[in-house]
């Protein structure tokens, strides 16, 4: 009985509040009021009127996916897939050199450390992604590197991001 009364009172309260401030025009259509004051944007919100910012965020997400795909392939030992994430104009060398250079990786983890930098020009979009990664080698050594990945997408509809350069230095252990 108490639950029923409580539910009824709750419903009546909601009905009263939702209808009490409602403004309608002569045809009984609800009129919405504009809010006064600034809208506070959350950390992950994209401003509706800043298309450059929204476009940059979308580009950063795409670039991070390529870098994650690269490190995930290295972690799995799929050197061909990791090699394909590197741009032809990078210093990746041949696929066999790349595989030999990375053969000692047992596991690898990566994290993005700061905000990315986006530079767009007539040649395409270049994004610098600050990162830090840790490699556990097959010899049970642990090596940590920090720096950034430079990811490039040439101008053109069919272009995809590829890693142009890894500017990293080994941290002291």
């Amino acid at each position: 009985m108490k639950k029923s009364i409580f539910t009824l009172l709750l419903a009546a309260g909601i009905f009263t509040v939702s209808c009490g401030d409602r403004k309608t025009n002569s045809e009984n259509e609800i009129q919405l009021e504009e809010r006064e004051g600034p809208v506070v944007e959350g950390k992950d919100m994209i401003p509706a009127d800043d298309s450059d910012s929204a476009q940059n965020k979308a580009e950063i997400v795409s670039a991070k996916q390529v870098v994650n795909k690269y490190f995930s392939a290295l972690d799995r030992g799929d050197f061909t897939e990791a090699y394909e994430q590197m741009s032809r104009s990078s210093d990746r060398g041949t696929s066999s050199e790349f595989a030999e250079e990375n053969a000692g990786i047992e596991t690898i983890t990566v994290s993005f450390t700061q905000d990315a930098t986006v530079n767009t020009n007539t040649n395409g979009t270049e994004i610098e992604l600050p990162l830090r990664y840790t490699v556990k080698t097959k010899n049970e050594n642990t090596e940590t590197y920090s720096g950034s990945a430079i990811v490039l997408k040439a101008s053109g509809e069919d272009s995809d991001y590829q890693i142009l350069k890894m500017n990293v230095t080994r941290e002291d252990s």
Side-chain angles (χ1 to χ4, degrees):
M1 179 77 170
K2 287 183 183 181
K3 271 187 175 178
S4 306
I5 294 172
F6 176 74
T7 305
L8 183 60
L9 288 174
L10 182 61
I14 291 172
F15 178 76
T16 303
V17 169
S18 67
C19 294
D21 237 3
R22 187 178 297 179
K23 294 184 181 181
T24 59
N25 62 14
S26 60
E27 284 119 28
N28 242 5
E29 293 174 340
I30 298 172
Q31 299 293 306
L32 300 176
E33 289 184 21
E34 288 190 34
R35 290 186 179 204
E36 293 182 23
V39 175
V40 179
E41 295 179 2
K43 181 175 142 184
D44 295 327
M45 285 184 68
I46 298 173
D49 62 344
D50 192 354
S51 60
D52 285 343
S53 179
Q55 179 65 32
N56 284 351
K57 287 186 180 194
E59 297 295 335
I60 291 168
V61 167
S62 295
K64 283 183 176 180
Q65 288 173 340
V66 169
V67 172
N68 281 326
K69 192 173 182 180
Y70 170 81
F71 282 106
S72 179
L74 286 177
D75 190 59
R76 292 189 318 271
D78 187 347
F79 303 123
T80 301
E81 184 175 337
Y83 182 79
E84 290 173 358
Q85 303 311 307
M86 300 290 291
S87 169
R88 289 182 181 167
S89 57
S90 70
D91 60 356
R92 67 183 182 172
T94 66
S95 63
S96 59
E97 290 170 338
F98 182 84
E100 187 177 318
E101 183 179 310
N102 293 290
I105 296 173
E106 179 71 30
T107 62
I108 190 166
T109 57
V110 64
S111 62
F112 298 98
T113 58
Q114 297 173 10
D115 291 337
T117 305
V118 180
N119 294 313
T120 303
N121 58 42
T122 56
N123 297 328
T125 304
E126 182 179 287
I127 299 179
E128 182 176 3
L129 297 167
L131 53 78
R132 185 171 191 248
Y133 64 91
T134 302
V135 176
K136 181 178 174 191
T137 67
K138 292 181 179 177
N139 296 336
E140 300 297 319
N141 294 326
T142 301
E143 302 168 358
T144 302
Y145 298 84
S146 60
S148 62
I150 307 298
V151 186
L152 176 70
K153 178 171 84 170
S155 56
E157 289 183 23
D158 294 336
S159 297
D160 291 324
Y161 278 103
Q162 289 191 305
I163 299 169
L164 180 63
K165 185 184 277 188
M166 296 293 266
N167 293 330
V168 295
T169 56
R170 186 173 173 182
E171 295 179 3
D172 294 332
S173 306

